[in-house]
Amino acid sequence: MDRQKQRMTLTAAAMLVPLMAACGSEKADSGSGSVGADKPVTGVRWSVDSVTADGRTQKAPTGAHVTIDKGRAEGSFGCNNFSAEATVDGDRVRLGTTRATEMACENKPMEFETTLVRAFSGQELKAKVDDDRLTLTTDGGDTVRLTKAKDAPLAGTKWIVTTPNADGRAHLTFDEKKGTVSGSLGCNKVNAKATVRDGHITLGPPATTRMMCEDSLMDVEKTLLRLFDGKPKYGVDHQTLTLTSENGTRVRAVAER
C-alpha cells in the first residue's frame, strides 16, 4: 500500500468513528437507552452485517461490531477499533466524542469503511430493532444492517487460553456428551472429567503427558492445573470464556476463529 493510499485509508477510518459509534447507544445520563422499551439497543453486542449505499450492498468484514453499555459505544470496524460517548433520542441515534485506532489493514476490505463514511458521516440515523436485528437508515434510504451476536457455545468450541499467556499454545475443548475436557496446558496435553451445572464446571483430576518445556510454559501449566480437581465458576461473554477456581485462580480464553 503506497503512502498516499494509506493516508486516505486512515483518514476514512478516523471519520468513520462517529458513524459507527452512533449505530447504537444510550443517553449518557440515563443509564438506559432503547428504540423502544421492549426493544433495547443498549447492552447488546451488534455484529455489523452489511452496508447499502447508492444501490450497492457491501458485506462487513469479520469482527465488525458495536457494543453499547453505560453511555458508551465501543466496537470494531473489522480492522480499526473505536470507543465513543453516544445518545439515543427516540428512534434517532447521535454521537458524542470518539476515539479510534488508525491502522491500515491490507487483508481487510477498507473500502467498506470508506463507504460508510461517504454514505453516513454527519447524518442522523433512524434505528429499527426487529427481534435480533438492528437496521439503521438515513433519510436518503441507505442502510446499515446488524445482528445481535450470539455467545459461543461452551461445549464443542476450542477455547484458546489468553490469560495466562501461552502464545496460543494452551487450549481447552469441552465435550458435553462424553462429559470431558481435553486440550493442551501449553506444553503437555490434558484430559479430565467435566460436568457443567448451574454456572459451574466440576473438573476431575487431570491426566497429563510428562514433557518438560521452557519455564514460562511450565508456569502457565501450574496455573491451569489449579482449575482441576475442583469446581470453578464459568461465564461466556460472546467469544470469551472466563473460568474462576475456588482458590481464586482466573483463566480467560477466546473461541478459535
Side-chain angles (χ1 to χ4, degrees):
M1 179 181 293
D2 59 47
R3 291 186 178 179
Q4 182 177 1
K5 183 176 181 181
Q6 182 174 354
R7 285 196 298 270
M8 292 175 63
T9 299
L10 296 180
T11 299
M15 289 174 62
L16 181 57
V17 178
L19 164 67
M20 288 307 298
C23 283
S25 57
E26 64 182 14
K27 292 184 178 180
D29 60 350
S30 68
S32 63
S34 63
V35 176
D38 60 339
K39 297 181 178 181
V41 172
T42 59
V44 177
R45 180 181 173 116
W46 297 102
S47 295
V48 183
D49 297 327
S50 67
V51 56
T52 300
D54 299 326
R56 180 189 175 198
T57 298
Q58 294 184 52
K59 185 177 179 181
T62 300
H65 69 274
V66 178
T67 303
I68 311 98
D69 189 31
K70 298 180 180 179
R72 293 198 65 79
E74 298 180 344
S76 170
F77 309 132
C79 172
N80 286 286
N81 298 325
F82 70 88
S83 64
E85 296 180 358
T87 61
V88 170
D89 183 8
D91 63 353
R92 298 283 171 167
V93 290
R94 301 185 183 94
L95 176 70
T97 58
T98 65
R99 292 183 179 181
T101 57
E102 295 184 350
M103 298 183 294
C105 304
E106 294 185 10
N107 62 337
K108 294 290 185 179
M110 302 302 290
E111 182 185 1
F112 178 83
E113 296 188 8
T114 304
T115 300
L116 280 174
V117 172
R118 185 173 59 250
F120 299 109
S121 183
Q123 298 194 54
E124 188 176 69
L125 301 171
K126 181 177 181 180
K128 178 182 179 182
V129 177
D130 185 8
D131 294 329
D132 62 350
R133 296 184 181 278
L134 170 64
T135 303
L136 302 169
T137 308
T138 67
D139 291 338
D142 295 335
T143 58
V144 177
R145 292 182 173 84
L146 309 93
T147 302
K148 182 178 180 181
K150 297 181 179 179
D151 292 338
L154 174 66
T157 299
K158 184 176 181 180
W159 295 101
I160 309 299
V161 176
T162 56
T163 305
N165 182 15
D167 295 327
R169 300 184 190 182
H171 57 86
L172 298 171
T173 301
F174 295 88
D175 190 316
E176 184 177 10
K177 291 183 179 180
K178 294 181 179 179
T180 61
V181 61
S182 61
S184 170
L185 299 171
C187 175
N188 287 284
K189 295 180 179 179
V190 64
N191 62 78
K193 294 290 185 181
T195 303
V196 181
R197 183 176 294 115
D198 299 329
H200 292 78
I201 305 175
T202 301
L203 295 174
T208 68
T209 54
R210 300 288 182 175
M211 295 186 297
M212 294 297 296
C213 296
E214 55 265 37
D215 291 343
S216 60
L217 287 180
M218 299 309 293
D219 288 341
V220 169
E221 294 204 355
K222 290 178 182 178
T223 299
L224 295 179
L225 285 171
R226 296 191 190 109
L227 296 172
F228 292 86
D229 206 8
K231 191 177 180 181
K233 296 179 181 178
Y234 84 94
V236 177
D237 182 7
H238 187 52
Q239 301 290 308
T240 301
L241 168 67
T242 302
L243 298 167
T244 306
S245 70
E246 296 165 301
N247 57 31
T249 298
R250 176 168 289 188
V251 171
R252 292 172 63 88
V254 296
E256 183 180 55
R257 294 186 180 277

